[in-house]
Amino acid sequence: MMRLDHVTYACGPDGLAATAARIGAALGLESVKGGIHPRFGTRNVIFPLLNDQYLEVVEVLNHPSSDKAPFGQAVRARSELGGGWMGWCVAVDDLAPVEARLGRGSVPGNRKFPDGQELTWRQIGINGLIADPQVPYMLRWDDGTENLHPSKALTPVGKISSISIAGSSERVADWLGQPEQLPVGEVKVDWQAPNGTPGILSVTFETPKGSITL
């Protein structure tokens, strides 16, 4: 099984707190500090959403791991362009077919909570996203972490309703191993021919303030 898990927004030059505050004000949604990803040299702020989804605002840290980890490199590159949508992520039940198809192994990720609990996962596909930003990266949350999923950090009141992507549904389906239908659930995807770099153009959320597009 595959499903749309989250969308990732790289912070702008004003930094993580200011970018997250600006997005929170635009959407009328609350956020929580996520924390540091020590393996990637990044940290994030989470906006929990309905349908087990969330919006992640992420910042690269001045840390050696961010120079080595593709995720840190991807965040830095997007932030250096002024910030904005970096990508989308699909959760899968089994990474083995993805690893076989892409010809490489997944990498572990982790984030510690203030109370000492730890959210752990494995992810793959960031190099693909760097090369072709229309394609999602994939992750598998480790068993036993269900209650720590970022969508559960607050009681969610908003949801993703649509994503506009410069790219091709055929290209994304090929990247995902040709599923019968793309794993976006009720989210509508508006595909547009790339005029320049492919990737997410905008995401529309249903919020207490109405329908808001970022």
Side-chain angles (χ1 to χ4, degrees), residues 95 108-110 119-122 139-146:
L95 281 172
N110 67 300
L119 178 60
T120 56
W121 66 91
R122 296 192 70 87
L139 65 66
R140 184 185 187 280
W141 299 103
D142 287 350
D143 293 338
T145 63
E146 293 78 12

Side-chain angles (χ1 to χ4, degrees), residues 13 72-73 88 148 156:
Q73 294 168 11
W88 52 303
L148 299 178

Side-chain angles (χ1 to χ4, degrees), residues 103-153:
R104 59 182 176 272
S106 58
V107 298
N110 67 300
R111 177 163 63 79
K112 275 212 165 131
F113 288 68
D115 62 7
Q117 294 187 91
E118 189 172 31
L119 178 60
T120 56
W121 66 91
R122 296 192 70 87
Q123 68 184 49
I124 191 171
I126 294 293
N127 284 320
L129 180 150
I130 291 171
D132 187 3
Q134 66 180 294
V135 301
Y137 63 104
M138 287 77 78
L139 65 66
R140 184 185 187 280
W141 299 103
D142 287 350
D143 293 338
T145 63
E146 293 78 12
N147 292 334
L148 299 178
H149 189 271
S151 67
K152 295 180 167 59

Side-chain angles (χ1 to χ4, degrees), residues 25-110:
L27 297 177
L29 297 178
E30 287 188 63
S31 64
V32 295
K33 285 183 181 177
I36 290 174
H37 309 121
R39 294 176 185 273
F40 305 146
T42 55
R43 63 177 176 174
N44 66 0
V45 166
I46 302 293
F47 288 85
L49 301 169
L50 295 163
N51 301 319
D52 297 320
Q53 293 165 354
Y54 64 98
L55 159 60
E56 165 190 52
V57 183
V58 67
E59 175 179 58
V60 71
L61 302 172
N62 185 12
H63 189 278
S65 57
S66 69
D67 295 328
K68 299 182 192 127
F71 188 82
Q73 294 168 11
V75 176
R76 176 176 282 112
R78 192 68 185 90
S79 289
E80 286 177 350
L81 290 173
W85 291 112
M86 188 185 100
W88 52 303
C89 179
V90 169
V92 301
D93 287 341
D94 184 6
L95 281 172
V98 184
E99 293 172 325
R101 194 171 68 252
L102 299 184
R104 59 182 176 272
S106 58
V107 298
N110 67 300

